[in-house]
Amino acid sequence: MAERYEGERGRGPLDRPSRSSGPRSRRSSTAGRGTRGLYGSQIGSNMARASVAEIVGSFILVFTGTAAATAALLNRATAGGPYDSLAVVLAFGLALAAVVAALGHVAGAHVNPAVTLGLAVTNNFPWRYVPAYIGAQLIGAILGAIGTWIAFGDRAREVASLAATYPVGDVGDFRAMIVEALVTFILVFVVVSVATDDRAPAAAAPLAVGFALAAGIFIAGPVTGGALNPVRALGPMIVSGNFTSAWVYIVGPILGGVLAAVLYDRFVRQADAPGTDDPE
């Protein structure tokens, strides 16, 4: 089957002519510079640049979030008191919003294999670039975990496992996996909707995805720690050397992300705005 993002007859949502006009369109492209990606980025125009952007974005996300979580776990005081769970949720959500705003136009700011694979399964991202993106995301996550280790010392690694996520209390691995799938579904559904559909306001994208991540961590935090991202879980696990229930945080988010991307691409996207005529 020919991939939807290549050739004159490509019909994927990232290759259709934009319904919006003028400078606000996020799907405009420059001929010969690559395939249109998330947030107006150009996929494949410069894979070295894209890889660096994914490394940096994943580093910012993981370092910011795990540093706040480690500070809370170690009961470190700041501004008169220690961080609590709300601070951790806000740290992750704000970091993702900042990453999307800063790097979304460069390489799509996936910073999450669940996003990359969800787009690839729906033919909205070239499979040949998947290894480079996921590899860059994992490198960035490992660097982020190392940054937390440097910031808080050996106790962060030995006591807090650099804020790696594990099922909480008596929660079994299977239930934890289902929860991770459900909350990642929320995140990826929002990412795909605001970043690949011209009807969504471009300015809302960073806040929307940041809020979606925060909402998911609010839900899953008391059950799984709230990873919603395989590399967010694996980075601290690799650096701390504790791989307890690692499969939960690989399988769950990927399942949820792929399901969200397929659902939006196959069903929700078809509900075109009134007055449009864009036959498939």
Side-chain angles (χ1 to χ4, degrees), residues 126-145:
W127 278 103
R128 65 183 179 275
Y129 299 142
V130 168
Y133 265 61
I134 293 180
Q137 291 157 9
L138 183 58
I139 291 170
I142 291 171
L143 293 175

Side-chain angles (χ1 to χ4, degrees), residues 111-215:
V111 297
N112 187 338
V115 173
T116 303
L117 290 170
L119 292 172
V121 166
T122 54
N123 291 328
N124 294 318
F125 186 78
W127 278 103
R128 65 183 179 275
Y129 299 142
V130 168
Y133 265 61
I134 293 180
Q137 291 157 9
L138 183 58
I139 291 170
I142 291 171
L143 293 175
I146 292 173
T148 297
W149 186 7
I150 293 171
F152 292 97
D154 288 341
R155 286 194 74 235
R157 181 175 183 271
E158 296 165 2
V159 176
S161 296
L162 301 172
T165 49
Y166 306 105
V168 177
D170 60 352
V171 176
D173 282 2
F174 183 75
R175 179 152 66 102
M177 185 269 289
I178 295 298
V179 172
E180 282 290 314
L182 291 173
V183 292
T184 306
F185 175 92
I186 295 172
L187 173 61
V188 177
F189 190 88
V190 172
V191 170
V192 172
S193 66
V194 300
T196 70
D197 196 322
D198 291 312
R199 292 168 293 174
L207 286 178
V209 298
F211 288 164
L213 178 59

Side-chain angles (χ1 to χ4, degrees), residues 64 67-73 75-79 81-88 91 152:
T64 302
T70 297
L73 289 167
N75 202 33
R76 295 287 181 88
T78 181
Y83 283 139
D84 56 16
S85 57
L86 177 59
V88 176
F152 292 97

Side-chain angles (χ1 to χ4, degrees), residues 22-34:
R24 294 184 61 214
S25 174
R26 283 172 292 148
R27 301 296 169 267
S28 61
S29 65
T30 302
R33 292 194 58 196

Side-chain angles (χ1 to χ4, degrees), residues 58-59 62-63 66 113 134 136-149 157 161-166 227 229-243 246 249-250:
S58 298
F59 166 79
V62 173
F63 182 37
T66 59
I134 293 180
Q137 291 157 9
L138 183 58
I139 291 170
I142 291 171
L143 293 175
I146 292 173
T148 297
W149 186 7
R157 181 175 183 271
S161 296
L162 301 172
T165 49
Y166 306 105
N229 182 337
V231 301
R232 179 269 177 262
L234 289 175
M237 286 182 177
I238 290 169
V239 179
S240 67
N242 186 345
F243 293 90
Y249 301 96
I250 298 172

Side-chain angles (χ1 to χ4, degrees), residues 24-72:
R24 294 184 61 214
S25 174
R26 283 172 292 148
R27 301 296 169 267
S28 61
S29 65
T30 302
R33 292 194 58 196
T35 303
R36 287 179 291 268
L38 301 188
Y39 314 111
S41 61
Q42 293 292 320
I43 303 169
S45 61
N46 187 323
M47 282 306 296
R49 180 180 64 191
S51 297
V52 170
E54 285 294 300
I55 290 172
V56 172
S58 298
F59 166 79
I60 292 172
L61 176 65
V62 173
F63 182 37
T64 302
T66 59
T70 297

